[in-house]
Amino acid sequence: MTAAIPVDRKFNVVFTFIAVLLFMVDMGNPVYYWGIIGGLFLSFLFSLAAFLLQRLSLDGMFAAMVAGTLIFGLGGWPMAAIILLFFISSAVISTPQDEGRPPREDSGDVRRSGIQVWANGFWMVVSLVMTAVFDSSVFLLGGVTAVAVATADTWATELRSRKEGATRLITTFEQVSSGADGGISLKGTAWASAGSMLIAAASTYFFSLTFGSFFIIFTAGFLGCVLDSYLGAIFQRDNRPIVIPLIQKEITFDNNLVNAVSTGAGAFLAIILRISTI
């Protein structure tokens, strides 16, 4: 029996094909043409550096190269700066267990794998592709909001309160251990708000957005993080699987799927709010 191809490798193939297709279609457009070439070169250097610094696994490095090529190629320096802001801030605050912090339930290697890269970056890349295809800034707003959700979730997780009794389950508010799936704390919530606000502010500055767009990114980013905690409490805490209608396939909501759903929900909410205010 043939082994199943990992999801992150499938995404690598699909988005590599999209990058090549856009490269060929837009050969007459020097912005996308040189953007994709420059994106490939710079994403390779950055991904390799992250791998050597033990922040990305080998498959994570390849996933970051593919995603980075499209991010820089379609979003330019502004989008590259925003995603670097997310990645660098996440790398700085993500520390191994041996630095005096209590153990986390999801503790392990600090390297991000390929599936983790796509769990946080899938909707951002999709939004940029949609922005290029439809030439609409509405989708761009969804892309940066996906980054805001990922940043808010990472900051809330890494900088959460570790005091006994400070963490509550988001669904019932019963006391749970720090780092438990679905657990929230005042400190973690404050940092989630700060993370979303940082990306909203950076996006507003780099893309010259209005205050209304800033508020949409900040709000949708924060709510996406809240949804992440809620899904963690409902599905991850009890390892509860769900059955996909029509195909009747059972899947398990692990942390990567929760991240993908929450970043996607934040992106869609931002797009809906932006359209409703036009």
Side-chain angles (χ1 to χ4, degrees), residues 99-120:
E99 296 190 13
R101 293 189 174 191
R104 291 166 39 187
E105 290 187 3
D106 60 343
S107 61
D109 195 342
V110 296
R111 291 178 183 264
R112 288 180 178 267
S113 65
I115 191 63
Q116 286 176 311
V117 170
W118 283 117
N120 286 302

Side-chain angles (χ1 to χ4, degrees), residues 245-256:
L246 300 180
I247 63 175
Q248 296 299 308
K249 182 177 181 179
E250 187 177 275
I251 61 173
T252 301
F253 254 81
D254 61 7
N255 188 61
N256 294 318

Side-chain angles (χ1 to χ4, degrees), residues 181 234-241 252-253:
D181 292 323
I234 296 297
F235 297 107
Q236 284 181 270
R237 188 168 177 80
D238 299 322
N239 293 321
R240 184 189 306 176
T252 301
F253 254 81

Side-chain angles (χ1 to χ4, degrees), residues 133-182:
V133 172
F134 295 102
D135 192 23
S136 174
S137 61
V138 171
F139 296 106
L140 177 65
L141 208 67
V144 294
T145 300
V147 183
V149 176
T151 305
D153 176 53
T154 301
W155 285 29
T157 300
E158 298 296 338
L159 301 173
R160 66 188 184 275
S161 175
R162 287 168 169 78
K163 292 182 180 179
E164 185 177 351
T167 305
R168 303 281 174 170
L169 193 64
I170 191 172
T171 51
T172 63
F173 291 100
E174 66 178 283
Q175 183 177 323
V176 293
S177 61
S178 176
D181 292 323

Side-chain angles (χ1 to χ4, degrees), residues 79 82 123-124 127-128 131 136-149 199-200 203-204 207-218 220-221 263 266-278:
M79 184 58 78
I82 290 170
W123 291 108
M124 176 185 55
S127 296
L128 287 176
T131 300
S136 174
S137 61
V138 171
F139 296 106
L140 177 65
L141 208 67
V144 294
T145 300
V147 183
V149 176
I199 299 301
S203 300
T204 301
F207 290 106
S208 300
L209 303 176
T210 64
F211 176 76
S213 295
F214 164 83
F215 184 75
I216 288 174
I217 297 169
F218 165 67
T263 52
F268 278 110
L269 177 59
I271 291 173
I272 293 173
L273 291 174
R274 183 68 182 92
I275 293 175
S276 66
T277 57
I278 294 178

Side-chain angles (χ1 to χ4, degrees), residues 148 152 191-203 214 217-218 222:
W191 279 112
S193 177
S196 183
M197 184 176 295
L198 174 67
I199 299 301
S203 300
F214 164 83
I217 297 169
F218 165 67
F222 177 74

Side-chain angles (χ1 to χ4, degrees), residues 43-55:
S43 62
F44 168 73
L45 293 179
F46 181 79
S47 301
L48 179 61
F51 172 75
L52 295 176
L53 290 172
Q54 299 185 356
R55 295 299 175 177

